Amino acid sequence: MDQLPNMRLTTQRQIILEELGKVTSHPTANEVYDMVRKRLPRIGLGTIYRNLELMAESGIILKLEVGGTQKRFDATVENHYHIRCTDCGRVDDIDIEVQEEINEIATKSSDYKILGHHIEFSGICENCSRKKKVVH
Amino acid sequence: MDQLPNMRLTTQRQIILEELGKVTSHPTANEVYDMVRKRLPRIGLGTIYRNLELMAESGIILKLEVGGTQKRFDATVENHYHIRCTDCGRVDDIDIEVQEEINEIATKSSDYKILGHHIEFSGICENCSRKKKVVH
DNA sequence: TTATGTGCAAAACATTTGCAGGAGT
DNA sequence: ACTCCTGCAAATGTTTTGCACATAA
């Protein structure tokens, strides 16, 4: 909701944000850890989790609660949808337009106070379909 | 893909399926465990997980990879969407119609071979909005 | 009878947390 | 100075797995 409350600008935070901004993939906390560790070898995994969580709450990054066992993070906060490969777990952005009124439609069909929605497509990514053809 | 391969009809499986069918909520594995344990006190949590997983693979139940920390299960397999309360984590069905061609639209915008999609709305359930009003 | 399934307990992961020392403002 | 933040390690929570015994077919 509010932007960076009393959040100190530490080296760790700068680098986490920089590294996340460099990639178009949607890394897990552990992948961010590996990326950041190349520049800050002594950083702890707890720091990664704490800061990704904080940044997601402040709205400067996006926390993706997609299928699979791990949460993923995205430096792009503009509203967009995702597609996940059911074979390898990879997640990509997908750029499509959906009827704008979808939240209003949902409001009429539910007792909930609707805040938003997310669409997750599932499929097989190019890499994995290629592999499958070779094997079979 | 295939229906109940060489899956034995054990007491445990029958009761898991019965109990899951009784509720309209979307219980976590642990909640199913609690429900089933009332009738089969010696059942192990591992058995619950193994069987829910198998049933989901066979397509006789649905495994929901919604946000939050735990997977949830649903005895209703017909395609439908869900809404999750960001306060208490509760998940309900939501019955709305979305443009049929959404998968085709996605196919055009992606290199993936699209298999399906899921929409997860987020919001505040009635219970939680009531609580909030009282507290504040 | 025999392949499959179960209970139990340990292992494997992902994530969170307590705390003593460190660093931004 | 005085919070807030970090590294470290331990704790927590969820799901998976190995194995000896049990049981459906």
Side-chain angles (χ1 to χ4, degrees), chain A residues 5 18 46 52 86 92-93 105 111 113 133 136:
Chain A
E18 277 177 35
L52 288 174
T86 52
D92 280 296
D93 292 333
I105 296 175
D111 294 334
K113 179 176 168 192
K133 272 180 193 149
H136 270 290

Side-chain angles (χ1 to χ4, degrees), chain A residues 1 11-14 17-19 21 33 38 42 46 50 55 57 60 65 82 89 113-114 126:
Chain A
M1 298 293 165
T11 313
Q12 287 85 342
R13 285 177 184 161
Q14 290 180 66
L17 216 43
E18 277 177 35
E19 291 299 315
Y33 180 46
K38 287 178 187 150
R42 305 192 58 80
R50 270 186 293 239
M55 291 173 190
E57 278 172 17
I60 58 179
E65 312 226 9
H82 295 97
K113 179 176 168 192
I114 308 269
E126 265 199 311

Side-chain angles (χ1 to χ4, degrees), chain A residues 78-130:
Chain A
E78 290 93 60
N79 197 57
H80 63 284
Y81 302 127
H82 295 97
I83 179 161
R84 185 168 62 98
C85 178
T86 52
D87 248 44
C88 66
R90 159 182 182 156
V91 173
D92 280 296
D93 292 333
I94 186 165
D95 185 30
I96 64 167
E97 300 279 326
V98 171
Q99 28 188 180
E100 254 315 313
E101 340 75 49
I102 187 167
N103 284 349
E104 285 81 68
I105 296 175
T107 299
K108 285 180 199 136
S109 312
S110 170
D111 294 334
Y112 281 60
K113 179 176 168 192
I114 308 269
L115 296 174
H117 71 273
H118 181 247
I119 306 185
E120 183 185 333
F121 290 89
S122 51
I124 310 289
C125 75
E126 265 199 311
N127 248 325
C128 288
S129 10
R130 211 173 299 127

Side-chain angles (χ1 to χ4, degrees), chain B residues 3-130:
Chain B
Q3 293 278 86
L4 319 209
N6 351 352
M7 203 160 126
R8 286 184 185 167
L9 189 50
T10 62
T11 313
Q12 287 83 344
R13 284 176 184 162
Q14 290 180 66
I15 296 191
I16 289 172
L17 217 42
E18 277 177 33
E19 291 299 315
L20 190 58
K22 276 186 192 169
V23 296
T24 59
S25 65
H26 302 76
T28 62
N30 207 64
E31 287 166 351
V32 174
Y33 181 46
D34 285 340
M35 286 151 54
V36 170
R37 209 155 32 146
K38 289 180 187 151
R39 296 172 60 187
L40 289 178
R42 304 193 57 78
I43 196 171
L45 185 53
T47 302
I48 302 285
Y49 272 102
R50 270 186 294 241
N51 285 327
L52 288 174
E53 188 61 41
L54 274 175
M55 292 172 189
E57 278 172 18
S58 315
I60 57 178
I61 69 171
L62 213 62
K63 178 178 174 184
L64 303 185
E65 312 226 9
V66 292
T69 51
Q70 293 149 283
K71 307 248 181 301
R72 293 175 173 271
F73 297 86
D74 190 339
T76 306
V77 288
E78 291 94 61
N79 196 56
H80 63 286
Y81 302 126
H82 295 97
I83 179 161
R84 185 167 63 96
C85 178
T86 52
D87 248 45
C88 66
R90 158 181 183 158
V91 173
D92 281 294
D93 293 334
I94 186 165
D95 185 29
I96 63 166
E97 301 279 325
V98 170
Q99 29 189 177
E100 252 317 312
E101 339 76 50
I102 187 167
N103 283 349
E104 285 83 67
I105 295 175
T107 298
K108 285 179 200 138
S109 313
S110 170
D111 294 334
Y112 281 61
K113 179 175 167 191
I114 307 269
L115 296 174
H117 72 272
H118 181 248
I119 306 184
E120 183 185 332
F121 290 89
S122 50
I124 310 289
C125 74
E126 266 199 311
N127 249 325
C128 289
S129 10
R130 211 174 299 128

